[in-house]
Amino acid sequence: MSDRSDEAETRRDALPPLAGEEHVCEGCRLSYAKVSVDSALEVVLSIPAAVRDAVSSLPTEALRLRSGTGGWSVTEYVCHLRDVYATYTVRLHRARTEDQPALEPMLNDLRARRFRYNELAVDAVADELAANVAGFRDEVAHVRPDQWERVVTRLPGEQRTTRWLVRQAMHEGQHHLNDIRRTCESVIAEI
């Protein structure tokens, strides 16, 4: 693709505001304020096995198919989840070691295209997802009690706490696991 289409893709990936510290997800009714770091981490640690379980019933050739809804393929969602936990590990590290670091956007569609998500082997990516989740767990273990209120920034005026990063990482995992499950169902119905 040309640089011009990359610019259009980046604009389409324009940064929406981050969910707030007290966010309640309309889709899953998750309330960030009611989620402890320990329970969020427990959910995150369950994501790799749940992803493997979700994709195990899908024939290999179907892993790269996109559903009729216009979303990503199963392979692309698994790659994105892998990258979410790498990104949140770095973000968490920066939150505890730097003063108010500015978060870099993930630019999801650009990543999917540039890193050729849909050409990768899901089993290998699932292994990388498990490794990234283990790294995230290790980073959470390094956060001292006095560091949970440290803040990161992204858009002007947006500040979020270290605690929020863990809750958001959990929410990302839950949502994308549901995306994977829905895509599996949709693709199976179409083949």
Side-chain angles (χ1 to χ4, degrees), residues 103-190:
L103 302 179
E104 292 292 326
M106 286 189 64
L107 301 176
N108 300 327
D109 290 327
L110 178 67
R111 278 179 187 248
R113 191 174 62 253
R114 281 288 185 264
F115 300 129
R116 296 169 175 83
Y117 281 4
N118 217 23
E119 297 174 18
L120 301 177
V122 169
D123 287 340
V125 176
D127 290 343
E128 293 167 352
L129 168 61
N132 289 356
V133 164
F136 182 78
R137 176 201 60 219
D138 295 348
E139 192 59 39
V140 169
H142 283 87
V143 179
R144 296 186 321 260
D146 65 323
Q147 293 178 316
W148 288 112
E149 298 306 317
R150 292 180 60 87
V151 297
V152 297
T153 63
R154 195 182 63 158
L155 295 175
E158 275 187 340
Q159 291 188 337
R160 299 295 181 267
T161 64
T162 305
R163 179 179 290 106
W164 178 89
L165 286 169
V166 177
R167 290 170 171 163
Q168 179 68 12
M170 177 208 66
H171 193 222
E172 287 273 330
Q174 282 185 324
H175 264 275
H176 293 308
L177 177 59
N178 287 334
D179 291 333
I180 289 166
R181 288 174 174 152
R182 274 192 302 276
T183 303
C184 286
E185 290 171 6
S186 177
V187 167
I188 287 172
E190 292 174 13

Side-chain angles (χ1 to χ4, degrees), residues 62-67 71-78 118 183:
L63 292 168
R64 289 180 176 77
L65 298 177
R66 293 186 177 122
S67 70
W72 281 342
S73 70
V74 169
T75 300
E76 289 166 319
Y77 277 119
V78 176
N118 217 23
T183 303

